[in-house]
Amino acid sequence: MDARDFYDELGSDYDLMVSWEQRLAREEQFFRVLFSEKGCRRVLDAACGTGMHAVAFARAGLECVGADLSAAMVEKARENARAAGVTVRFETAGLGELAARVGTGFDAATCLGNSLPHLTDDASLGACFRDFAELLVPGGLLVIQNRNYDRLLRERQRFMPPAARPQADGETLFLRITEFPPVGAKNDEAVSFTILTLKKRGGAWSMTERTTPLRALRRATLRSALERAGFTSVRVYGSYAQQPFDAPGTADLVIVAERG
């Protein structure tokens, strides 16, 4: 499935898969300090999914716009903003077309939740970063968070921890699997990502499988593409706690770059 269909079908199940309260609490200080130090007031959350980061930014007093390729995700994001009592503008727009669809003049842009790996070739990745540069003010911040593919490719970790969510009418269980190409393959970055959604309703289980191609973006690949698009002061961390990227056990790649 392409990214649009993948997330359109995942739809309302997506928020069940993520422990949002714990995740946002873990990330809050990172963004609060970063945006405060740079005086950021206007933020774009690209590939915003169900809008939970955009809602959190709005709660923190920022003017926030969210954009996502999936119309189903954008509709859910609007519902989440209404439920939170905050004002966030959401638009259906994919990576690489944001400046034309949502405008320019942003102090910061975020692209979180392993979204960039959906760009599976150099051309689309380059177009995405040039688009970010266009929509940011000079000196504006770009924050990226992906999985640590340098580590995943080295260790070939196929399984993420399962996510189980009890509900009033049953239970939902998510299994997330990464499939790697054969060892020694010419393109070792071409991976596939599968989400198995198991639902227990009325004592019986059902299962839905969704698979989409991803590019296992290494740190060096992203740094090089950012610099070609005119970004400077590229800082790379292994977590939102700003651990060194190569620290043992770091699961994430977090990048902060400035538009030159």
Side-chain angles (χ1 to χ4, degrees), residues 25-42:
R26 197 167 58 242
E27 300 171 4
E28 178 185 11
Q29 183 177 3
F30 173 86
F31 286 109
R32 177 172 51 81
V33 172
L34 182 68
F35 291 161
S36 176
E37 287 179 344
K38 291 292 290 185
C40 297
R41 293 290 180 266
R42 189 164 183 256

Side-chain angles (χ1 to χ4, degrees), residues 20-87:
W20 280 112
E21 185 175 352
Q22 292 90 337
R23 173 171 180 171
L24 293 173
R26 197 167 58 242
E27 300 171 4
E28 178 185 11
Q29 183 177 3
F30 173 86
F31 286 109
R32 177 172 51 81
V33 172
L34 182 68
F35 291 161
S36 176
E37 287 179 344
K38 291 292 290 185
C40 297
R41 293 290 180 266
R42 189 164 183 256
V43 179
L44 169 69
D45 186 28
C48 69
T50 58
M52 297 301 283
H53 282 100
V55 167
F57 296 153
R59 278 176 166 164
L62 299 169
E63 178 188 348
C64 191
V65 177
D68 198 276
L69 180 72
S70 164
M73 289 288 178
V74 168
E75 182 54 39
K76 183 63 178 176
R78 290 172 177 150
E79 292 177 14
N80 285 336
R82 286 193 294 269
V86 296
T87 299

Side-chain angles (χ1 to χ4, degrees), residues 11-20 50-52 76 80 165 174:
S12 60
D13 287 337
Y14 187 83
D15 281 341
L16 291 173
M17 189 171 61
V18 182
S19 299
W20 280 112
T50 58
M52 297 301 283
K76 183 63 178 176
N80 285 336
R165 300 289 182 263
F174 299 93

Side-chain angles (χ1 to χ4, degrees), residues 32-185:
R32 177 172 51 81
V33 172
L34 182 68
F35 291 161
S36 176
E37 287 179 344
K38 291 292 290 185
C40 297
R41 293 290 180 266
R42 189 164 183 256
V43 179
L44 169 69
D45 186 28
C48 69
T50 58
M52 297 301 283
H53 282 100
V55 167
F57 296 153
R59 278 176 166 164
L62 299 169
E63 178 188 348
C64 191
V65 177
D68 198 276
L69 180 72
S70 164
M73 289 288 178
V74 168
E75 182 54 39
K76 183 63 178 176
R78 290 172 177 150
E79 292 177 14
N80 285 336
R82 286 193 294 269
V86 296
T87 299
V88 181
R89 172 189 164 201
F90 288 103
E91 298 289 347
T92 303
L95 298 173
E97 60 181 10
L98 298 171
R101 300 290 296 277
V102 304
T104 60
F106 290 92
D107 302 311
T110 60
C111 188
L112 313 173
N114 207 55
S115 300
L116 279 178
H118 287 287
L119 305 177
T120 57
D121 57 71
D122 288 342
S124 57
L125 185 64
C128 171
F129 286 159
R130 290 191 298 273
D131 187 42
F132 277 129
E134 182 179 352
L135 62 86
L136 288 168
V137 299
L141 295 177
L142 174 62
V143 184
I144 297 165
Q145 179 260 320
N146 290 343
R147 299 179 72 193
N148 182 341
Y149 281 109
D150 291 72
R151 179 186 176 199
L152 292 176
L153 289 170
R154 184 170 62 248
E155 300 179 4
R156 302 180 76 80
Q157 296 180 359
R158 294 180 63 213
F159 299 100
M160 298 178 69
R165 300 289 182 263
Q167 297 162 274
D169 58 347
E171 184 178 9
T172 303
L173 177 67
F174 299 93
L175 303 177
R176 292 162 289 182
I177 307 165
T178 302
E179 297 291 355
F180 298 91
V183 175

